[in-house]
Amino acid sequence: MSNAGEGGVKPAGENKPLSAPRGKRPRIRVSCVDQLGACRCHHGHKPGDVFDFDRDRGKMCAMACHVGFPYIDILRYGGTVPGNEPGTAKFCCPEVDTLNVWLAEIVDE
């Protein structure tokens, strides 16, 4: 059976996706927790810096965001990252002389 009206065309307003609406995504806090390299970060990040991923990611180094995004996506959609506490994920920026260590974590409201 088809949802289409006469002529095989859906009536206006019926082009909605079939899945349920996406629920509210949890907030993610991203903190610089360590620096393993000897050089200063070119973006100026240092241990102690904290960002709200949705509101502040434009202030974060694009390389760190690029590396962290898959981990943040895993946390947001209920997954866990092996070797990390549930609701957290550690990752490093790819700048070899700096190697800032970042911690992404779900923020309970």
Side-chain angles (χ1 to χ4, degrees):
M1 182 170 198
S2 171
N3 288 349
E6 280 187 43
V9 178
K10 289 184 179 181
E14 288 192 28
N15 290 328
K16 297 178 185 173
L18 298 176
S19 62
R22 185 169 72 181
K24 184 179 179 199
R25 296 179 300 181
R27 280 187 48 223
I28 302 290
R29 177 175 47 226
V30 181
S31 308
C32 184
V33 295
D34 200 1
Q35 183 177 4
L36 304 177
C39 293
R40 193 172 80 76
C41 171
H42 77 279
H43 204 80
H45 295 311
K46 59 192 175 309
D49 289 351
V50 179
F51 301 93
D52 178 292
F53 187 73
D54 288 314
R55 291 187 302 215
D56 301 329
R57 74 174 148 223
K59 299 174 186 175
M60 290 179 64
C61 169
M63 292 190 305
C65 281
H66 181 77
V67 171
F69 183 77
Y71 298 107
I72 290 165
D73 234 18
I74 289 168
L75 296 177
R76 280 209 163 138
Y77 295 104
T80 57
V81 178
N84 290 268
E85 293 292 320
T88 69
K90 273 190 177 179
F91 60 93
C92 284
C93 76
E95 191 176 359
V96 71
D97 293 327
T98 303
L99 287 176
N100 280 330
V101 179
W102 298 88
L103 174 67
E105 54 193 332
I106 294 174
V107 178
D108 292 325
E109 307 221 36

